[in-house]
Every structure is written in structure tokens, then in C-alpha cells.
Amino acid sequence: MTILEAVKIHKSYGNKFNKQEVLKGIDITIEEGEFVSIMGASGSGKTTLLNVLSSIDKVSNGLIKIEKKEITRMKEKQLAEFRKHHLGFIFQDYNLLDTLTVKENILLPLSISNVSKKEANQRFETVAKELGIYEMKDKYPNEISGGQKQRTSAARAFIHEPSIIFADEPTGALDSKSASDLLNKLSDLNQKRKATIIMVTHDPVAASYCSRVIFIKDGQIYTQLNKGEQERHAFFKDIMKTQGVLGGVQNEH
């Protein structure tokens, strides 16, 4: 089933005298349960694309539907309500609250919903154990490692069982071991929970954990790769080849 559909997405910044067109008519369809990566060189528009797909930013033209609901027509209040129930976010810099424990940070999305305390604790226990952070539930963010912070951030994104998780460079601040730990956990959750994940990354290793990679160049889709039955290492090689054709991919700020 199609969970996200974007049609003729345009995004421009500036005014009519000095306009910069970042996205130039992009069409994307994401199926339920996919783990999709968006890649592209610095300035290609990949972060802007993630921002408009996730409703953080508005499109200039085009439509985006999530679960058949057209989010591009929603008013701010409707959007806020939609995000609360249907979308989860994992950011590069964790976005954890230092004054809350790991458990309290993870439970935040449920504090604004009608979930009972008992169910909230059950959900917390399940997702925290799946992500390997249950034992540190009473610690504060400044007492845990970067990898543990990012897994806490991932648990917070998953706890309210959203339709789609948007991840913006989730491994960008992690060392290679913490990054592979996180990606293995995300991959497991994707398969176990049939969770749909859309991830922006500059890292071909991170992208190789996905089922599909969409390459963006100059605000348009350049090409796509499907993993199919390939081993991750073979898929990684295909991603590297495509990156080479694109002229290399750097981190985008």
C-alpha cells in the first residue's frame, strides 16, 4: 500500500527578483514498510526534500499525501495534530531534553496523547529493549554516549507507533560502531514493526541498510537503486558506483 505520495514538488526560496529553486518538480511514491534513503551532493536539495515531505517546511507547488491525507492543504493546527499521531522524527543532534531522563525523553510523545500510564510503560519497555537502552532508563543525556543518545532519539520516534519515521542524517554525529549499531536496530524495527522509514544520509554505508536509495541531483531525481535480494555489501558497491557518477557526495548542512 502506498503510504506517501508526492507529485510535482517544487520548493523555492527568495522573492521574484532573487529566486532560488531548490526542488524542481519531484515525484516520489513510498510504500508502507519501506526503508528508503535519500542521497545527493551538498546543495542537491535532499534535506529540503525531507523537510517538505515531513511537513517541517511547506512546498511552493505540488501536493503531498500521507495515508491518503493531503498534508499540503492542511492548516498549521491540523498539521500539528497530524504530526503528533502519524509522524516520528530522528535528528542528527538528538534533540533530547537534558533535564529529563532517558525514559522521560522517550515517553514525551505519549504525554500529549490519550495513552494510559500502563500502556505507555509497556510501550516504553518494548521499544527501549528493542533498541538496547532499557538498562539506562534512569540516566540523563549527559551521562550516556552519542550512540545511546541517538538510540534514545529513535525510541522516542517509534514509541507512538507513527505511520512514517523521518531521519535526518541520524548517523552523522556517531562513530562507525555506534552508527552500525543504530542502523542494525533501525533495520530490525523496520522489519519487525513494518515501520516506514525515510532517511537522508550522505553515507553510503548507512544507505546500504535501506531497501531503496533515491539519488537527488540539482533538485530533481537523478536515479534510484533497489536492493532486492542483494547482500548489503553488494548494494553498498552499487551505491558507491552511483555516487561516483554523481561526482561524490558530501555532508550537507
Side-chain angles (χ1 to χ4, degrees):
M1 183 184 100
T2 297
I3 195 162
L4 183 148
E5 183 185 11
V7 181
K8 301 281 182 287
I9 294 299
H10 289 263
K11 179 64 184 177
S12 303
Y13 294 100
N15 55 40
K16 62 180 178 181
F17 303 109
N18 182 21
K19 192 159 91 168
Q20 184 192 6
E21 196 177 13
V22 181
L23 302 178
K24 304 169 184 174
I26 285 180
D27 295 326
I28 284 181
T29 303
I30 307 284
E31 298 301 312
E32 190 174 16
E34 273 198 287
F35 188 175
V36 178
S37 176
I38 299 170
M39 299 189 81
S42 181
S44 62
K46 63 183 187 291
T47 297
T48 302
L49 178 60
L50 189 83
N51 287 345
V52 297
L53 292 178
S54 64
S55 79
I56 288 173
D57 202 355
K58 289 190 179 295
V59 296
S60 302
N61 276 300
L63 74 84
I64 298 167
K65 286 183 180 179
I66 295 177
E67 292 195 306
K68 298 189 167 56
K69 294 181 179 73
E70 195 176 331
I71 65 165
T72 33
R73 285 178 179 267
M74 288 182 186
K75 300 277 189 289
E76 251 333 299
K77 201 173 175 184
Q78 285 176 294
L79 262 181
E81 195 64 20
F82 185 81
R83 275 189 216 110
K84 191 166 86 176
H85 296 290
H86 298 278
L87 308 182
F89 297 90
I90 305 172
F91 300 99
Q92 181 176 340
D93 56 0
Y94 322 128
N95 280 20
L96 300 176
L97 296 176
D98 292 335
T99 54
L100 299 182
T101 63
V102 164
K103 182 177 181 179
E104 288 164 344
N105 266 290
I106 292 169
L107 285 172
L108 262 182
L110 297 186
S111 66
I112 50 172
S113 64
N114 298 321
V115 174
S116 70
K117 192 173 180 184
K118 185 183 176 187
E119 190 187 339
N121 280 320
Q122 284 173 340
R123 285 201 204 176
F124 163 75
E125 191 173 328
T126 302
V127 75
K129 283 179 176 173
E130 284 174 333
L131 281 156
I133 48 174
Y134 183 73
E135 302 305 321
M136 58 203 63
K137 64 183 187 293
D138 297 321
K139 292 190 174 182
Y140 289 87
N142 65 354
E143 299 175 311
I144 61 177
S145 71
Q148 291 162 342
K149 285 179 190 174
Q150 196 56 298
R151 281 185 272 151
T152 300
S153 175
R156 181 185 57 195
F158 276 96
I159 195 155
H160 62 300
E161 298 169 354
S163 310
I164 304 180
I165 305 260
F166 291 97
D168 187 7
E169 297 280 9
T171 60
L174 304 180
D175 61 67
S176 57
K177 185 186 182 304
S178 299
S180 64
D181 282 350
L182 176 73
L183 290 159
N184 276 313
K185 299 288 187 192
L186 288 180
S187 189
D188 286 348
L189 286 168
N190 164 249
Q191 285 160 19
K192 271 189 210 164
R193 293 177 172 234
K194 297 289 177 271
T196 307
I197 306 172
I198 302 174
M199 174 176 76
V200 160
T201 185
H202 68 282
D203 180 4
V205 174
S208 70
Y209 283 81
C210 298
S211 51
R212 177 161 59 115
V213 182
I214 299 169
F215 291 89
I216 306 292
K217 184 179 182 181
D218 300 329
Q220 295 177 307
I221 290 181
Y222 173 74
T223 191
Q224 301 187 43
L225 292 177
N226 285 292
K227 189 177 195 174
E229 299 301 312
Q230 283 184 98
E231 291 291 321
R232 193 170 66 77
H233 187 66
F235 193 42
F236 167 76
K237 286 184 172 175
D238 286 350
I239 294 165
M240 288 290 286
K241 273 184 207 161
T242 307
Q243 265 197 348
V245 176
L246 271 171
V249 176
Q250 302 144 10
N251 199 353
E252 179 178 290
H253 295 288

